Amino acid sequence: MSSLPAEAQNRFRPAIQANDNIITEYQITQRTRFLALLRAPGDPRALAREQLINETIQFEAARLSGDMPGEDQIAAGLEEFAARANLTAEEFITALGQEGVDAQTFRDFVTAGIAWRAHVQARFRSEARNIPQEVIDRNLARTGTEGGLRVLISEILLPKTGADTTRASRARAAEIATMRSEEEFSTAARLYSVAASRSRAGQLNWVAIETLPENIQAPIRALSPGQISQPIELDNVIGIFLLRDVERVAVGRPETLSIDYALLRVAAGPSEADRIASRIDTCDDLYGIAKDLPEDMLIRESRPLTALPADIRAQIDFLDVNEATTALVRGSQSTVLMLCGRQQAFESTVDFELVGTRLLNTRLTSIAADYLADLRADTFVADLAN
């Protein structure tokens, strides 16, 4: 028979089972108190239960893969979180203790975010980097060509993994959208977001707005620094975004975009043009096809976008690099038009590395949300309190 007093037994009784892991009533009570102190909107106890289930699943995945953070990483995470209240980690822990929240509750909360981010990056970074080269080229070439606007944003992504979760996320997103300060938004990001940026309070680095997903560009353009967007329904998450800062950089206008293209005139007609287009992979392949033809049958040149002939420009807009079309007719002759490359004709101050970083982070965020949903679906979860 247990020697613990009945009150202590009640505090530490099992409340939820997630696979072979047990979440106790004490953990739920502590997390509820912690969330209440952080002024988390909504029902802090319901949120505490949801968070602890997800974190248990995330911890298990990180442990099995050897992706758990070291003490130095955890210590840095604790200091970073506390700094948002202008306190050291030790001071923050002391303040929590005065309100009945133990240090382990704070530590577990921070560690979960760090562990999940490390695990997702270790498991999926190579997959996320597998971005088609034409997508990278297109984003690099077009970044900043129409105004050079780039933004500093924070994000909160809430899950849509089922009807109940979606309803809860929509309600929470509506509450977040009414927040008035970056501090509140940062706290909400750490509490609710399923994005990899959660451990950084949702903060992203500078990003050219043209590289953001198209369905969030307009809402972010409509914000002023310090404002929070309305909830945006994405594929498997609900996004809310805070605009922290915005700047315009000195970049070229669209007419400074240089187009490298090749145009082969084909005397034998459209069927021959189609056959040639199906055989070539790059513009250089056209040299071999045109080697016995008159020199004027193949044109290969690089021009500013606005200096292109109108018929060529109309087709180029629809092509990716190394893609060809036979839709253009010159006089009575069929043609093969191929886009060889796009590049800035003049030096740009846009940090093009931001484009690749944002593409990578976008893919990682989407992959992580799907991965967590899959793990949750495969997890046995039981309410032991009833």
Side-chain angles (χ1 to χ4, degrees):
M1 187 172 181
S2 173
S3 60
L4 288 173
E7 181 180 353
Q9 293 182 46
N10 188 59
R11 284 177 65 199
F12 291 101
R13 75 177 187 274
I16 301 171
Q17 181 177 351
N19 285 342
D20 296 330
N21 302 290
I22 298 297
I23 300 168
T24 66
E25 179 62 32
Y26 181 70
Q27 288 174 287
I28 296 173
T29 301
Q30 280 282 301
R31 180 60 67 88
T32 301
R33 193 171 296 166
F34 177 62
L35 295 175
L37 288 173
L38 296 178
R39 298 180 180 177
D43 181 352
R45 183 173 176 85
L47 175 61
R49 290 171 61 89
E50 186 73 11
Q51 280 188 356
L52 288 168
I53 292 171
N54 282 342
E55 288 173 14
T56 298
I57 295 168
Q58 291 168 340
F59 268 130
E60 184 174 26
R63 276 194 296 264
L64 289 174
S65 299
D67 297 321
M68 291 296 290
E71 286 300 319
D72 289 346
Q73 293 171 287
I74 296 172
L78 296 175
E79 291 291 350
E80 181 188 356
F81 190 99
R84 298 193 171 276
N86 295 318
L87 298 172
T88 65
E90 185 177 351
E91 291 169 340
F92 192 77
I93 289 170
T94 299
L96 289 176
Q98 292 170 349
E99 300 294 335
V101 178
D102 62 38
Q104 191 62 44
T105 296
F106 175 42
R107 179 186 174 89
D108 288 347
F109 176 78
V110 171
T111 303
I114 299 172
W116 180 242
R117 182 175 175 225
H119 176 60
V120 167
Q121 289 189 341
R123 184 180 178 92
F124 297 111
R125 194 172 185 86
S126 295
E127 177 182 335
R129 283 189 182 280
N130 188 26
I131 304 170
Q133 187 61 44
E134 61 268 20
V135 174
I136 297 173
D137 291 342
R138 185 165 58 247
N139 277 274
L140 287 174
R142 292 174 176 170
T143 297
T145 60
E146 297 185 17
L149 186 70
R150 65 178 189 169
V151 291
L152 197 61
I153 61 175
S154 296
E155 65 179 359
I156 294 176
L157 301 183
L158 304 178
K160 291 166 56 179
T161 54
D164 291 342
T165 300
T166 300
R167 279 194 296 271
S169 291
R170 284 173 177 160
R172 186 163 295 131
E175 294 175 347
I176 293 170
T178 66
M179 292 178 174
R180 299 298 180 191
S181 71
E182 184 175 338
E183 290 74 20
E184 285 184 290
F185 192 91
S186 296
T187 298
R190 290 183 180 278
L191 295 177
Y192 310 128
S193 185
V194 296
S197 59
R198 166 186 165 175
S199 62
R200 304 187 303 276
Q203 292 186 352
L204 302 175
N205 292 324
W206 283 104
V207 56
I209 197 166
E210 292 88 349
T211 66
L212 294 172
E214 291 186 3
N215 50 349
I216 71 173
Q217 287 184 31
I220 290 177
R221 286 181 187 274
L223 299 176
S224 297
Q227 289 185 330
I228 297 170
S229 75
Q230 290 299 306
I232 302 170
E233 297 275 345
L234 305 173
D235 288 342
N236 52 13
V237 292
I238 300 171
I240 314 99
F241 301 89
L242 165 70
L243 180 63
R244 303 192 332 259
D245 202 356
V246 61
E247 71 173 9
R248 290 190 178 277
V249 293
V251 300
R253 298 184 302 278
E255 57 263 31
T256 70
L257 188 66
S258 179
I259 300 298
D260 180 11
Y261 75 95
L263 179 68
L264 177 69
R265 288 190 291 147
V266 182
S271 60
E272 177 64 11
D274 289 338
R275 188 185 70 81
I276 292 172
S278 69
R279 290 173 49 201
I280 57 175
D281 296 316
T282 70
C283 288
D284 290 344
D285 294 338
L286 289 171
Y287 289 116
I289 294 172
K291 64 181 179 180
D292 295 326
L293 299 176
E295 288 187 7
D296 63 353
M297 295 294 283
L298 176 63
I299 299 171
R300 172 74 184 271
E301 62 181 1
S302 182
R303 288 195 191 184
L305 181 62
T306 52
L308 291 176
D311 57 349
I312 292 179
R313 180 173 180 177
Q315 296 298 324
I316 287 292
D317 286 342
F318 297 99
L319 297 179
D320 287 325
V321 174
N322 292 326
E323 186 176 5
T325 177
T326 59
L328 182 64
V329 176
R330 280 290 175 89
S332 60
Q333 287 186 323
S334 299
T335 69
V336 176
L337 172 66
M338 176 171 268
L339 175 61
C340 310
R342 288 187 178 98
Q343 62 182 2
Q344 293 291 336
F346 301 104
E347 184 177 356
S348 168
T349 59
V350 168
D351 182 356
F352 284 146
E353 187 176 346
L354 291 173
V355 179
T357 299
R358 181 56 191 170
L359 286 170
L360 175 62
N361 288 338
T362 298
R363 288 172 67 91
L364 271 176
T365 296
S366 177
I367 290 169
D370 287 340
Y371 179 46
L372 179 59
D374 289 344
L375 290 177
R376 181 73 182 256
D378 292 338
T379 299
F380 171 76
V381 177
D383 186 343
L384 305 180
N386 297 322

